[in-house]
Every structure is written in structure tokens, then in C-alpha cells.
């Protein structure tokens, strides 16, 4: 937003004591097509570079990836980044240099702390079916920590239920992964006609629509859209058709 080096404000209500918003439409995202991988980048990433959209607060990357059966990322290195993977459909197999080897599926959260350095690979767990996922990078609150890995099953959502659950946080509940960043991520699932209130304790928020469509504080969002919010204490989410959304609470 206006006081962030990473993103410029494009919608403001003109008051300093009220939230301000930036709507990042799905179609405005960067795109890459590698055949086996079709990716959309909410922020600058890889060959997509826009100096005005380098991230928001500690949120550096949101990539929406679709990986064809048998495809994946060969072993590569990361350091000093908190990486959270959220599966929408299909399954992703992870292997890394600290001995972790897991398959992540919808309803689960995965966290990899790159810290002083880690090497890993990510491949579609199916030879034939695609996998659809969001990969999220957060700047750590402390550099040079030991690399680590964690995977958890999120609470089940009943048919017709609207609920808000923590996906990742510095002090996470048992059903969420622990991240080393001054941020938290919540999953909001809205049944058709559902309404939820998401508290924002750090003052800034990013909403990323994973599935469906909804209205956030009067802003209509479709699948793939993002919404940056400054100076918010809570967000009101409503959906006529139903939606699955990630809500980032950011310092």
C-alpha cells in the first residue's frame, strides 16, 4: 500500500482511519506456460517482473500452479524463506535434503523453512492426473534459522458449513503448521449464502480466492483474484455461490 515498498495503492477511501484496498484481478497476474506447468503469479516471479508488484508486506510470492501428470520441479535450492504449499486438487510429492518425503493433498498444509539452505523437489504424485496448487513464500522474521519441514491435516469442512481455520501461524494450533514469519494464514470456506468475519490482528491483510467468488468488505472477487487491505481490524466475507479463500494477516 502507500507505505509499503512493494505495492502501490490504486483504491483509497481518502481517510487515514479507514481501510484502503487494492484489487489484484486474476487476469492481471503474470503468466507462464512451460507445457507441463501452467503458472499464474500474483507478484513478480521468475521471468515476470513488475517493480510495482514485488509482494505485499512479508508476503513475497503467491503462485497458482497447474502441473501436468508426471511433471514437476527437479531438485533446486532455497534459503531464508518460509514456503507454504496449499493443494486445491490432486496431490504433490515433496522430497528434500533434510530427509522429508511426503505427499500433500487437499485439506492439508505443508511448510518448509528454507533457513540456512535446503534443496528439494516437487513432483505431481500422479503420472496422469494434474495437480492444482497455491505456493506461498513469506519473508522470515529471522534469517539463518535451521531448515525445517512440517505437514498437517486441516479440520474437515461439513457440507453446507462455513468456517475459518488457521493454516499457518507463528504460534499455530495442532491442526496448522508453524511459520517463522510475522504473519498468519487462515482458510475461509464459505457455503453458498455463507458469511464469515475474519479478524486481522496485524493491521494488513491479503485475500486470495482459491475457488468460487465472494464479496469482501463490498469488493467483488472472482477465482484467482487478490485483495490487499491496509488498516483493517477485520474483514467481512460473503458468498452467494460458495468460495474457498486464503486470508493473510500481515504486519
Amino acid at each position: 500500500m502507500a507505505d509499503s515498498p512493494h505495492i502501490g495503492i490504486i483504491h483509497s477511501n481518502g481517510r487515514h482511519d479507514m481501510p484502503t484496498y487494492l484489487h489484484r484481478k486474476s487476469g492481471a497476474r503474470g503468466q507462464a506456460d512451460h507445457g507441463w506447468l501452467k503458472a499464474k503469479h500474483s507478484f513478480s516471479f521468475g521471468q515476470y517482473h513488475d517493480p510495482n508488484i514485488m509482494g505485499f508486506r512479508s508476503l513475497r510470492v503467491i503462485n497458482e500452479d497447474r502441473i501436468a501428470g508426471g511433471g514437476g520441479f527437479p531438485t533446486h535450492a532455497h534459503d531464508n524463506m518460509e514456503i507454504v504449499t496449499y493443494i486445491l486438487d490432486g496431490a504433490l510429492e515433496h522430497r528434500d535434503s533434510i530427509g522429508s518425503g511426503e505427499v500433500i493433498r487437499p485439506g492439508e498444509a505443508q511448510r518448509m523453512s528454507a533457513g540456512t539452505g535446503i534443496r528439494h523437489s516437487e513432483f505431481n504424485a500422479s503420472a496422469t492426473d494434474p495437480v492444482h496448487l497455491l505456493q506461498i513464500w513469506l519473508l522470515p522474521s529471522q534469517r539463518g534459522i535451521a531448515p525445517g519441514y512440517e505437514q498437517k491435516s486441516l479440520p474437515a469442512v461439513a457440507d453446507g458449513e462455513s468456517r475459518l481455520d488457521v493454516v499457518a501461524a507463528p504460534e499455530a494450533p495442532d491442526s496448522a503448521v508453524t511459520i517463522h514469519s510475522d504473519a498468519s494464514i487462515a482458510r475461509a470456506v464459505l457455503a453458498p449464502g455463507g458469511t464469515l468475519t475474519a479478524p486481522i490482528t496485524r493491521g494488513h491483510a491479503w485475500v486470495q480466492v482459491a475457488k468460487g467468488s465472494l464479496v469482501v468488505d463490498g469488493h467483488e472477487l472472482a477465482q484467482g483474484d487478490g485483495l490487499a487491505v491496509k488498516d483493517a481490524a477485520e474483514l467481512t466475507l460473503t458468498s452467494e455461490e460458495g468460495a474457498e479463500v486464503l486470508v493473510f494477516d500481515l504486519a
Side-chain angles (χ1 to χ4, degrees):
M1 315 299 269
D3 63 347
S4 167
H6 298 304
I7 199 166
I9 189 71
I10 61 172
H11 173 78
S12 173
N13 53 36
R15 293 180 57 181
H16 297 294
D17 60 341
M18 297 288 286
T20 51
Y21 303 86
L22 181 149
H23 186 179
R24 176 71 161 156
K25 293 186 177 182
S26 176
R29 294 179 295 176
Q31 300 190 43
D33 187 344
H34 302 284
W36 62 271
L37 168 67
K38 291 180 172 58
K40 295 183 178 180
H41 309 308
S42 294
F43 307 118
S44 292
F45 185 86
Q47 294 183 342
Y48 168 63
H49 181 75
D50 181 343
N52 295 313
I53 192 81
M54 296 298 294
F56 180 60
R57 316 303 295 183
S58 59
L59 179 57
R60 177 60 188 85
V61 168
I62 302 178
N63 288 344
E64 182 180 357
D65 292 341
R66 287 178 168 87
I67 302 173
F73 299 93
T75 301
H76 56 284
H78 295 283
D79 63 67
N80 291 306
M81 194 68 68
E82 296 290 292
I83 300 175
V84 176
T85 302
Y86 186 84
I87 305 295
L88 300 175
D89 293 294
L92 188 74
E93 184 173 3
H94 165 99
R95 295 186 181 277
D96 63 41
S97 57
I98 60 172
S100 306
E102 302 287 347
V103 174
I104 179 173
R105 296 179 172 85
E108 299 175 333
Q110 179 202 73
R111 180 267 301 170
M112 185 178 75
S113 296
T116 54
I118 192 169
R119 295 177 60 80
H120 78 137
S121 64
E122 298 163 292
F123 277 88
N124 190 332
S126 170
T128 56
D129 299 329
V131 59
H132 182 197
L133 62 105
L134 295 175
Q135 187 164 96
I136 298 147
W137 295 11
L138 291 154
L139 300 174
S141 51
Q142 179 181 348
R143 294 175 62 85
I145 66 172
Y149 179 89
E150 189 178 24
Q151 185 169 323
K152 294 289 186 70
S153 294
L154 302 171
V157 182
D159 289 342
E161 181 182 19
S162 295
R163 62 179 296 147
L164 186 74
D165 294 292
V166 176
V167 172
E171 297 181 0
D174 290 341
S175 59
V177 294
T178 300
I179 52 174
H180 306 92
S181 181
D182 193 1
S184 65
I185 308 171
R187 175 195 65 180
V189 177
L190 292 118
T195 298
L196 288 170
T197 299
I200 304 300
T201 63
R202 295 172 176 83
H204 301 81
W206 181 278
V207 178
Q208 186 69 33
V209 185
K211 295 181 179 180
S213 63
L214 75 160
V215 176
V216 179
D217 288 359
H219 296 263
E220 296 182 3
L221 305 180
Q223 193 282 327
D225 284 6
L227 185 71
V229 188
K230 177 187 174 184
D231 295 332
E234 64 180 24
L235 302 175
T236 300
L237 291 65
T238 61
S239 178
E240 292 187 5
E241 68 166 283
E244 183 175 343
V245 180
L246 294 183
V247 180
F248 297 80
D249 185 349
L250 304 164

